[in-house]
C-alpha cells in the first residue's frame, strides 16, 4: 500500500518549490509545528489508490496465468518480487478498505484496464517487461534526499513508462512538462537505467473520473538536460531554504499560504488604491484592481480559516473569541 512518508523536496510539491524555493522549508517548519493537515478529498484519494493497486495486482496474477502451484515453485526472492496477488488475497485486502463508492469502483476499473493494456502491449513487444506497483523512486542524485512513489512503473528494453493515478475530478492534470512525473522519471532512470536499454521514457497521468489520459515522452538525454538546467540549482536552494518567495497559483496547497508574508504583500496590493488622497478611484484603476482581486479574496479566505483553526487549537487572538454558529 502507498507509504505515508513524504520527502521535504517531494515530487508532488515540485511545482511549488521549483518556483518558490524557500517554500519547502517553510512548509516543513509549519507542518512540524502544527502537524500536516489532511482532508476528506485526500482520504478518498488514498483509498482509491489502494483499491486501484490491488485491482492491478489481481489482474497481473490472472494475466500471467499464475496458479497456487506455479507460485509455490517460485524462489523466496521471486515471490517477494512478484507483483500479482490471487483472488483470495485481493478480497481480503478489499474488505479492509470498507465500503467502496460506485464512482470509485468505476474509476479504479478504468485505471486498471488502461494499465493492463499498457503492460500486456509492452510484454507482447518484449517478454522481459516488468511491472512494479507503488515503487519507491529515488531522484536524490539531482535533488537532496528526493524520492517519491510511482503508482505504476512498466520497464523493458523498449520503453520505460511511469503511470500516475489521479482520483480528482476538478481539472485535468497535464503530463506535458509535469515536474512531479519528470522527477519520478529521473528516479526510475536511476533505478533501471543500467539494467534495461530503453531509449525513451514516457510518463502518463490517468484521471478516470474526467476520462483524461495525458502523456509525454522524453529521451534519456532530454530528461537529464532538464534536470541539470531546471532542477539541480533550484533544489539546492530549496533544501537550504534560500532564494526568493514567489507567490502565485502554486500557493494553493502550500501549508504557509495564509501566513506567508510574500503572499500577504501580493494580496494587499489592491489596498494601495485610494491611499494617496481622499476621493474616488478612477476608471483606469478599476481593471488594475480587478487583476489582483482574486489573489486578495483567496488570501482573506485563507487567513480567516487559519485564524479560526488556530483558535480551535487553543491560540488566543486578542480582541476576538470563537462563537458557535447557528
Amino acid at each position: 500500500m502507498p507509504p505515508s512518508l513524504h520527502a521535504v523536496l517531494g515530487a508532488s510539491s515540485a511545482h511549488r518549490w521549483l518556483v518558490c524555493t524557500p517554500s519547502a522549508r517553510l512548509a516543513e517548519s509549519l507542518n512540524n509545528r502544527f502537524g500536516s493537515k489532511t482532508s476528506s478529498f485526500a482520504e478518498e484519494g488514498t483509498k482509491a489508490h489502494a483499491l486501484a493497486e490491488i485491482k492491478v495486482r489481481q489482474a497481473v496474477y490472472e494475466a500471467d496465468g499464475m496458479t497456487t502451484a506455479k507460485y509455490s515453485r517460485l524462489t523466496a526472492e521471486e515471490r517477494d518480487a512478484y507483483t500479482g496477488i490471487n483472488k483470495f488475497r485481493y478480497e481480503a485486502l478489499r474488505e479492509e478498505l470498507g465500503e467502496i463508492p460506485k464512482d470509485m469502483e468505476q474509476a479504479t476499473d478504468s485505471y486498471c484496464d488502461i494499465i493492463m493494456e499498457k503492460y500486456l502491449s509492452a510484454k507482447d513487444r518484449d517478454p522481459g517487461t516488468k511491472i512494479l506497483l507503488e515503487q519507491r523512486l529515488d531522484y536524490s542524485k539531482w535533488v537532496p534526499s528526493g524520492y517519491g512513489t510511482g503508482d505504476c512503473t512498466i520497464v523493458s528494453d523498449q520503453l520505460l513508462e511511469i503511470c500516475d493515478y489521479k482520483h480528482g475530478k476538478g481539472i485535468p492534470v497535464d503530463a506535458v512538462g509535469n515536474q512531479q512525473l519528470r522527477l519520478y522519471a529521473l528516479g526510475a532512470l536511476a533505478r533501471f537505467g543500467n539494467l534495461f536499454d530503453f531509449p525513451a521514457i514516457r510518463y502518463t497521468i490517468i484521471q478516470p473520473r474526467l476520462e483524461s489520459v495525458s502523456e509525454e515522452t522524453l529521451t534519456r538525454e532530454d530528461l537529464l538536460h532538464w534536470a541539470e538546467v531546471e532542477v539541480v540549482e533550484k533544489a539546492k536552494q530549496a533544501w537550504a531554504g534560500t532564494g526568493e518567495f514567489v507567490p502565485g497559483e502554486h500557493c494553493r496547497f502550500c501549508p504557509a499560504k495564509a501566513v506567508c508574508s510574500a503572499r500577504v504583500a501580493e494580496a494587499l496590493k489592491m489596498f494601495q488604491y485610494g491611499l494617496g488622497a481622499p476621493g474616488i478611484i478612477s476608471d483606469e484603476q478599476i481593471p488594475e484592481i480587478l487583476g489582483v482581486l482574486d489573489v486578495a479574496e483567496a488570501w482573506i479566505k485563507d487567513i480567516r480559516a487559519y485564524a479560526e483553526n488556530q483558535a480551535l487549537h487553543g491560540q488566543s487572538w486578542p480582541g476576538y473569541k470563537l462563537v458557535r454558529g447557528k
Side-chain angles (χ1 to χ4, degrees):
M1 298 301 167
S4 58
L5 298 177
H6 297 279
V8 173
L9 302 185
S12 61
S13 59
H15 68 286
R16 184 168 65 241
W17 57 258
L18 281 172
V19 176
C20 179
T21 54
S23 65
R25 288 299 184 185
L26 180 58
E28 180 193 31
S29 67
L30 289 174
N31 285 336
N32 289 340
R33 182 180 175 187
F34 301 119
S36 58
K37 296 177 176 61
T38 185
S39 67
S40 59
F41 298 108
E43 291 170 357
E44 181 184 48
T46 299
K47 185 174 183 177
H49 272 78
L51 179 62
E53 178 193 347
I54 62 173
K55 283 186 176 182
V56 175
R57 290 192 183 280
Q58 213 272 317
V60 168
Y61 188 94
E62 291 186 351
D64 287 347
M66 186 62 70
T67 63
T68 302
K70 286 182 179 179
Y71 187 78
S72 66
R73 290 195 291 271
L74 298 177
T75 66
E77 184 177 354
E78 288 172 334
R79 286 197 293 270
D80 287 342
Y82 186 60
T83 299
I85 56 174
N86 63 33
K87 63 179 181 180
F88 303 108
R89 179 61 176 155
Y90 167 76
E91 292 296 343
L93 291 172
R94 184 187 173 96
E95 184 71 20
E96 292 178 5
L97 294 175
E99 185 177 354
I100 305 297
K102 183 178 179 180
D103 66 336
M104 185 182 293
E105 194 79 75
Q106 294 171 338
T108 50
D109 280 346
S110 296
Y111 170 78
C112 181
D113 289 344
I114 293 170
I115 293 298
M116 291 308 297
E117 181 179 351
K118 288 178 174 292
Y119 171 53
L120 294 176
S121 177
K123 201 169 184 180
D124 283 343
R125 296 191 301 270
D126 184 348
T129 296
K130 304 294 182 185
I131 181 170
L132 304 104
L133 304 179
E134 297 303 321
Q135 183 72 27
R136 181 185 170 102
L137 300 173
D138 188 315
Y139 47 87
S140 57
K141 180 177 179 180
W142 302 273
V143 176
S145 298
Y147 68 89
T149 303
D151 294 334
C152 176
T153 306
I154 301 171
V155 59
S156 70
D157 285 329
Q158 306 298 317
L159 179 72
L160 169 65
E161 181 163 11
I162 299 98
C163 299
D164 191 59
Y165 174 64
K166 302 292 187 188
H167 190 63
K169 60 176 182 179
I171 58 174
V173 181
D174 196 352
V176 177
N178 188 284
Q179 296 100 324
Q180 176 184 5
L181 273 294
R182 286 190 176 193
L183 289 178
Y184 284 168
L186 286 172
L189 177 60
R191 177 74 183 272
F192 303 110
N194 292 329
L195 301 175
F196 294 85
D197 293 328
F198 51 83
I201 303 166
R202 180 167 65 209
Y203 40 93
T204 304
I205 295 176
I206 302 167
Q207 207 166 354
R209 296 167 82 193
L210 289 178
E211 299 182 352
S212 172
V213 178
S214 178
E215 299 178 344
E216 182 174 57
T217 302
L218 295 177
T219 64
R220 292 192 186 206
E221 291 75 17
D222 286 343
L223 180 64
L224 291 172
H225 177 75
W226 172 78
E228 292 300 324
V229 173
E230 299 293 337
V231 176
V232 173
E233 184 56 38
K234 291 176 182 176
K236 289 179 181 177
Q237 292 181 28
W239 183 254
T242 59
E244 294 185 9
F245 285 99
V246 181
E249 180 60 29
H250 49 272
C251 298
R252 184 178 179 187
F253 296 110
C254 180
K257 64 182 181 180
V259 293
C260 172
S261 59
R263 188 164 182 253
V264 174
E266 187 74 12
L268 293 181
K269 281 182 179 179
M270 69 168 290
F271 298 106
Q272 67 183 301
Y273 300 97
L275 295 180
I280 63 173
I281 58 174
S282 68
D283 288 346
E284 290 75 17
Q285 288 177 318
I286 290 178
E288 299 174 11
I289 293 173
L290 292 175
V292 296
L293 205 57
D294 287 345
V295 175
E297 287 178 334
W299 173 72
I300 290 169
K301 179 181 177 181
D302 291 336
I303 193 66
R304 284 186 186 277
Y306 175 85
E308 180 179 330
N309 181 68
Q310 294 308 108
L312 288 170
H313 287 82
Q315 173 70 47
S316 176
W317 303 112
Y320 292 88
K321 65 179 180 178
L322 285 173
V323 177
R324 185 182 297 275
K326 295 181 180 179

